[in-house]
């Protein structure tokens, strides 16, 4: 039976929103409310912001209560879902948006695993990492998918050559894990404001060139982080959050993209050949083909058995990913410090030519190296390792010696600097003019061997 005019007017009045100047249907208000959340006392709109390439990135944009009321009237406030606080709980197999009244900032990926071919992905990964390391990279992806909170090695892909697929790999990772991945630049990692990347599963950086000691310490610390870290946003209060991130770097600066010290276990470094070197073509549609196979690849990962057992806090034992390219970093990691020390000592012998030997404590060497611009920064452990491993010198017991400071001599405007005899009492290293020259010659031959190794790796 059709409603009477009076009943129609009454129903219409209920569905009208007062104060908006328009008649808005109740259902449209409820629909609009789904775009908003209230977390604690603050409102956010779930939106998608395009980047410079036109790719959309999910964003929780802060909105003030008054703006929402202006746009939709006060009625909408009663329909906006409310949560106690944010949490980050990653899962790809048992995802929950709301956990004990808290809003999960981790994004649910849209891929549904299903059986199918994934030959393009398999061939692409074998091209990037080589057949010898396929078990490693497949385990790596399986752990990312099934155990996203597991700490994993920092991956560095590098090559002098272009058209290798390094950048495509970064984009492929983003296609799999979607808004849980962020592409950043060198400046982003060096900035004090880290909120843009700190809550992501994967932090991907192309054209990596990071020689900053403090940044490297942060990367190393975060790569093994198990607890909460401090997120810093511009103009906002700092907040603690659980860090789940894994770093993936790509670089054309082969052998020097990152400051990786000898024996460092956090980094897996791979030299990536060109497609031509592998007898392949650089397919311009490669990324689209990779993306099409993601559901089948995830199905494979979901049902695959891990090859490697958990051995360390980074899951893998270093031997699993100790590539020749990583060994290049190990061989050269301390050598740039030892080269600086040799140069400093040689210049000191030139300045004080009548002396047959010099002694320095570790702190004095650090002072001379940094003040004299031989190195931008260096710590005690690096200096001691470079001297003892590369220059084959041992730390002498505490005793008296004369400290000849090249920096003080060169910056003394009166040209009257000369140290007081036996004015220091420290543990120290002693450099003999005769012995040091022989050490320099033998170490130079080591550098030639290192260059030869690097050339062989390029070939």
């Amino acid at each position: 039976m059709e409603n009477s005019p009076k009943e129609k007017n009454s129903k219409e009045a209920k569905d009208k929103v007062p104060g908006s100047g328009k008649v808005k249907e109740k259902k449209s208000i409820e629909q609009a409310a789904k775009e908003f959340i209230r977390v604690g006392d603050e409102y956010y709109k779930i939106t998608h912001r395009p980047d410079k390439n036109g790719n959309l990135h999910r964003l929780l944009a802060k909105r003030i209560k008054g703006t929402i009321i202006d746009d939709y009237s006060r009625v909408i406030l009663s329909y906006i879902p409310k949560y106690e606080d944010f949490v980050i709980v990653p899962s790809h197999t048992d995802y929950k948006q709301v956990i004990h009244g808290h809003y999960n900032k981790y994004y649910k990926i849209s891929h549904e695993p299903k059986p199918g071919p994934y030959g393009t992905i398999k061939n692409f990964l074998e091209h990037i990492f080589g057949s010898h390391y396929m078990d490693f990279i497949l385990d790596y992806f399986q752990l990312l998918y099934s155990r996203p909170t597991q700490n994993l090695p920092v991956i560095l892909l590098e090559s002098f050559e272009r058209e290798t697929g390094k950048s495509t790999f970064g984009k492929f990772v983003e296609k799999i894990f979607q808004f849980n991945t962020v592409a950043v630049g060198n400046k982003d990692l060096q900035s004090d404001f880290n909120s843009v990347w700190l809550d992501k599963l994967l932090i991907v950086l192309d054209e990596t060139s990071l020689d900053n000691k403090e940044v490297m310490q942060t990367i190393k610390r975060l790569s093994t982080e198990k607890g909460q870290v401090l997120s810093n946003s511009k103009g906002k209060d700092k907040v603690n959050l659980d860090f789940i991130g894994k770093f993936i770097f790509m670089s054309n600066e082969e052998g020097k993209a990152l400051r990786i010290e000898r024996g460092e276990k956090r980094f897996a470094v791979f030299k990536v050949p060109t497609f031509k070197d592998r007898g392949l073509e650089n397919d311009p549609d490669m990324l689209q083909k990779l993306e099409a196979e993601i559901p089948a690849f995830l199905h494979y990962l979901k049902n695959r058995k891990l090859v490697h057992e958990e051995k360390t806090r980074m899951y893998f034992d270093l031997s699993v990913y100790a590539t020749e390219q990583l060994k290049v970093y190990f061989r050269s990691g301390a050598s740039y410090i030892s080269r600086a020390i040799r140069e400093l000592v040689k210049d000191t012998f030139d300045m004080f030519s009548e002396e047959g030997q010099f002694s320095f404590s570790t702190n004095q060497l650090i002072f001379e190296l940094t003040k004299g611009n031989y190195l931008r920064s260096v710590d005690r452990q690096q200096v001691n390792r470079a001297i003892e491993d590369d220059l084959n010198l041992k730390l002498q017991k505490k005793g008296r010696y004369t400290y000849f400071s090249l920096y003080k001599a060169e910056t003394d405007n009166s040209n009257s600097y000369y140290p007081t005899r036996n004015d220091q009492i420290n543990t120290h290293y002693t450099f003999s003019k005769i012995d040091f020259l022989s050490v320099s010659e033998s170490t130079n031959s080591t550098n030639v061997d290192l260059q030869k190794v690097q050339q062989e790796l390029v070939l």
Side-chain angles (χ1 to χ4, degrees):
M1 177 183 257
E2 189 173 333
N3 293 332
S4 67
K6 185 175 181 180
E7 289 174 330
K8 284 184 179 179
N9 291 338
S10 175
K11 185 176 185 303
E12 185 176 296
K14 288 180 180 179
D15 290 347
K16 286 181 180 179
V17 179
S20 66
K22 293 182 179 180
V23 175
K24 292 185 183 287
E25 295 292 335
K26 183 177 178 181
K27 288 184 179 179
S28 67
I29 290 291
E30 291 178 351
Q31 190 66 30
K34 294 178 181 179
E35 298 178 359
F36 297 89
I37 59 173
R38 194 187 88 183
V39 180
D41 298 326
E42 297 181 329
Y43 289 88
Y44 299 85
K45 184 174 184 179
I46 304 169
T47 185
H48 294 80
R49 181 172 62 191
D51 61 19
K52 63 182 180 181
N53 299 315
N55 300 314
L56 296 179
H57 299 269
R58 183 174 179 263
L59 178 71
L60 291 175
K62 198 170 181 180
R63 294 288 185 267
I64 63 173
K65 184 177 180 180
T67 299
I68 299 173
I69 292 173
D70 287 345
D71 291 344
Y72 298 97
S73 88
R74 185 172 293 275
V75 174
I76 195 174
L77 299 180
S78 61
Y79 295 106
I80 295 176
K82 304 169 182 63
Y83 305 97
E84 293 293 329
D85 204 347
F86 287 116
V87 291
I88 300 176
V89 182
S91 178
H92 307 117
T93 56
D94 186 27
Y95 179 82
K96 293 180 175 62
Q97 181 68 80
V98 182
I99 302 171
H100 297 295
H102 292 65
Y103 187 85
N104 190 2
K105 288 185 74 175
Y106 195 81
Y107 184 78
K108 181 180 180 180
I109 62 175
S110 61
H111 305 295
E112 291 293 337
K114 61 181 181 181
Y118 56 93
T120 304
I121 291 177
K122 183 175 180 293
N123 292 337
F124 178 71
L125 293 179
E126 188 168 352
H127 160 70
I128 296 290
F129 295 93
S131 57
H132 184 73
Y133 296 100
M134 278 297 286
D135 288 338
F136 162 73
I137 195 58
L138 290 174
D139 277 0
Y140 181 94
F141 272 106
Q142 185 173 342
L143 290 166
L144 273 179
Y145 182 68
S146 61
R147 293 166 52 177
T149 59
Q150 170 67 49
N151 289 343
L152 294 171
V154 176
I155 287 182
L156 170 59
L157 306 179
E158 60 179 22
S159 177
F160 291 125
E161 298 89 356
R162 304 270 178 182
E163 297 186 358
T164 60
K166 299 189 299 291
S167 298
T168 301
F169 178 80
K171 294 173 183 176
F172 168 60
V173 167
E174 187 173 359
K175 291 294 184 182
I176 296 178
F177 298 99
Q178 298 175 330
F179 300 118
N180 305 303
T181 306
V182 62
V184 298
N186 295 295
K187 290 183 179 179
D188 292 309
L189 293 187
Q190 297 176 36
S191 171
D192 291 334
F193 304 111
N194 55 16
S195 61
V196 71
W197 55 267
L198 202 64
D199 61 351
K200 302 300 182 183
L201 175 68
L202 290 159
I203 301 106
V204 180
L205 195 153
D206 206 348
E207 299 184 9
T208 303
S209 181
L210 293 170
D211 190 38
N212 184 290
K213 177 184 174 184
E214 288 72 24
V215 172
M216 287 304 301
Q217 291 297 330
T218 298
I219 292 170
K220 290 192 290 185
R221 176 177 59 83
L222 289 177
S223 66
T224 52
E225 182 60 60
K226 287 288 188 182
Q228 291 194 327
V229 294
L230 203 60
S231 175
N232 188 12
S233 302
K234 196 169 185 177
K236 298 181 181 179
D237 293 334
K238 296 179 180 180
V239 296
N240 285 310
L241 53 80
D242 293 314
F243 183 74
I244 59 171
K246 287 77 175 156
F247 294 96
I248 296 177
F249 297 115
M250 286 83 71
S251 179
N252 295 323
E253 295 191 16
E254 188 177 322
K256 56 182 180 179
L258 299 173
R259 182 182 290 192
I260 302 175
E261 298 177 8
R262 182 178 301 174
E264 178 58 65
K265 299 180 180 181
R266 298 176 177 90
F267 296 87
V269 185
F270 297 87
K271 175 176 168 57
V272 185
T274 63
F275 287 105
K276 186 177 180 180
D277 289 338
R278 294 278 198 201
L280 304 172
E281 292 185 6
N282 186 8
D283 187 348
D285 299 322
M286 175 67 74
L287 187 59
Q288 288 81 358
K289 293 177 180 178
L290 293 171
E291 185 177 10
E293 292 183 356
I294 289 174
F297 184 55
L298 295 182
H299 180 270
Y300 166 71
L301 295 178
K302 190 175 181 180
N303 294 280
R304 174 181 179 271
K305 184 178 179 180
L306 288 165
V307 174
H308 300 287
E309 296 181 357
E310 185 171 1
K311 295 289 187 180
T312 68
R313 57 183 176 174
M314 310 296 285
Y315 187 86
F316 300 96
D317 186 78
L318 176 61
S319 61
V320 173
Y321 52 89
T323 64
E324 286 302 312
Q325 199 66 10
L326 178 61
K327 292 174 185 176
V328 168
Y329 275 92
F330 284 178
R331 287 192 286 265
S332 62
S335 65
Y336 80 93
I337 298 173
S338 60
R339 285 197 298 269
I341 294 171
R342 287 196 301 273
E343 187 178 352
L344 165 67
V345 175
K346 181 180 180 299
D347 290 345
T348 306
F349 277 122
D350 290 342
M351 174 65 74
F352 305 99
S353 57
E354 68 277 16
E355 299 296 328
Q357 68 177 34
F358 297 118
S359 294
F360 303 92
S361 70
T362 302
N363 285 341
Q364 288 164 349
L365 280 169
I366 292 173
F367 174 84
E368 296 293 329
L369 289 167
T370 55
K371 286 291 187 180
N373 294 320
Y374 291 90
L375 293 170
R376 282 187 293 178
S377 64
V378 68
D379 59 36
R380 291 178 58 85
Q381 186 179 17
Q382 290 174 317
V383 168
N384 292 339
R385 183 184 298 162
I387 293 176
E388 295 177 18
D389 291 356
D390 291 355
L391 302 183
N392 299 315
L393 296 177
K394 299 297 181 185
L395 188 65
Q396 303 297 308
K397 294 181 180 179
K398 185 178 289 188
R400 287 190 176 276
Y401 63 93
T402 305
Y403 170 29
F404 288 83
S405 173
L406 178 64
Y407 174 75
K408 292 178 181 178
E410 290 181 335
T411 56
D412 178 31
N413 294 327
S414 64
N415 294 319
S416 61
Y417 169 80
Y418 209 84
T420 304
R421 288 288 176 180
N422 296 323
D423 61 337
Q424 301 290 311
I425 305 177
N426 292 304
T427 55
H428 56 276
Y429 294 100
T430 297
F431 299 86
S432 168
K433 181 178 286 189
I434 297 176
D435 293 340
F436 179 76
L437 289 177
S438 64
V439 169
S440 295
E441 291 167 1
S442 63
T443 311
N444 284 337
S445 66
T446 301
N447 289 338
V448 172
D449 291 340
L450 176 58
Q451 292 172 3
K452 186 176 180 182
V453 169
Q454 290 173 324
Q455 290 171 355
E456 288 173 353
L457 286 173
V458 171
L459 296 174

